[in-house]
Amino acid sequence: LVSYYHLSWTPKVIDDAGVPTRIALLASTLTSVGSILGNLSMGVLSGRMNTARITTIYFMAAAAAFLAFGIMSREPYILLAIAPIVSFFIQGAFSGLMINTTRFYPPHLRSTGVGCVVGFGRFGAIAGPLLGGLVLGGGGGLIYLYAAIATITLIAGVAIHIAGAGEGQRVSPPAPAAN
């Protein structure tokens, strides 16, 4: 929900904040770059650190970045700077969520577990832009919208923290294949 909202509406929010449209459209590129770097960083860090812990940190950082985005909604160029930070952490967190999903399920249920997580995420692909459009179109304040988005992101961080309590992995990663 939060990622799809962010990717769909950030250029419009920045444009409405007073940045010239041609520069506001740059937000799409910046959010994409932030997303790529967030995904790559999660891939690297998950091989070196407790994946549940780093995913929790990414969700918490994304929540803080969303809240900052809402608070700074009247500072257009600051929004342009915060947008890729939001993308970095939220997309990295979602990559971490997929990595954790494979580790929380026993081997015979892993594909089902990942499929359910991805399938559930499709609801967010619909709901995020729709809810954002309703709030923005209805004249709702950005601070309230982004506080709600930050809260949803915070809940996801707490959930992954609880799910990953202890070692952060309920099931050991698969053993290397025999030669």
Side-chain angles (χ1 to χ4, degrees):
L1 182 125
V2 295
S3 175
Y4 291 105
Y5 165 79
H6 176 64
L7 293 173
S8 298
W9 285 100
T10 296
K12 176 69 174 144
V13 169
I14 291 174
D15 183 54
D16 288 351
V19 172
T21 302
R22 63 181 168 69
I23 295 173
L25 292 174
L26 177 64
S28 292
T29 301
L30 294 174
T31 56
S32 293
V33 170
S35 295
I36 291 167
L37 294 175
N39 286 324
L40 292 173
S41 69
M42 179 55 73
V44 170
L45 292 174
S46 68
R48 298 179 180 165
M49 300 173 68
N50 178 294
T51 306
R53 186 173 304 127
I54 193 68
T55 303
T56 299
I57 291 168
Y58 271 50
F59 271 121
M60 299 303 175
F66 274 124
L67 190 56
F69 199 89
I71 291 169
M72 301 305 292
S73 63
R74 293 201 167 104
E75 300 295 332
Y77 290 98
I78 293 175
L79 293 180
L80 199 59
I82 295 172
I85 296 168
V86 170
S87 295
F88 176 91
F89 285 113
I90 200 63
Q91 289 306 125
F94 286 133
S95 290
L97 189 61
M98 296 304 151
I99 294 165
N100 280 291
T101 300
T102 65
R103 294 178 179 173
F104 290 148
Y105 289 96
H108 68 284
L109 293 176
R110 284 188 184 144
S111 59
T112 301
V114 171
C116 287
V117 169
V118 171
F120 186 74
R122 297 294 93 200
F123 288 110
I126 296 166
L130 179 64
L131 291 174
L134 289 172
V135 171
L136 293 175
L142 286 178
I143 184 62
Y144 300 112
L145 174 62
Y146 281 94
I149 291 170
T151 301
I152 293 166
T153 306
L154 187 65
I155 291 168
V158 169
I160 197 71
H161 175 72
I162 291 168
E167 293 299 311
Q169 301 170 359
R170 298 189 188 278
V171 178
S172 298
N179 290 348

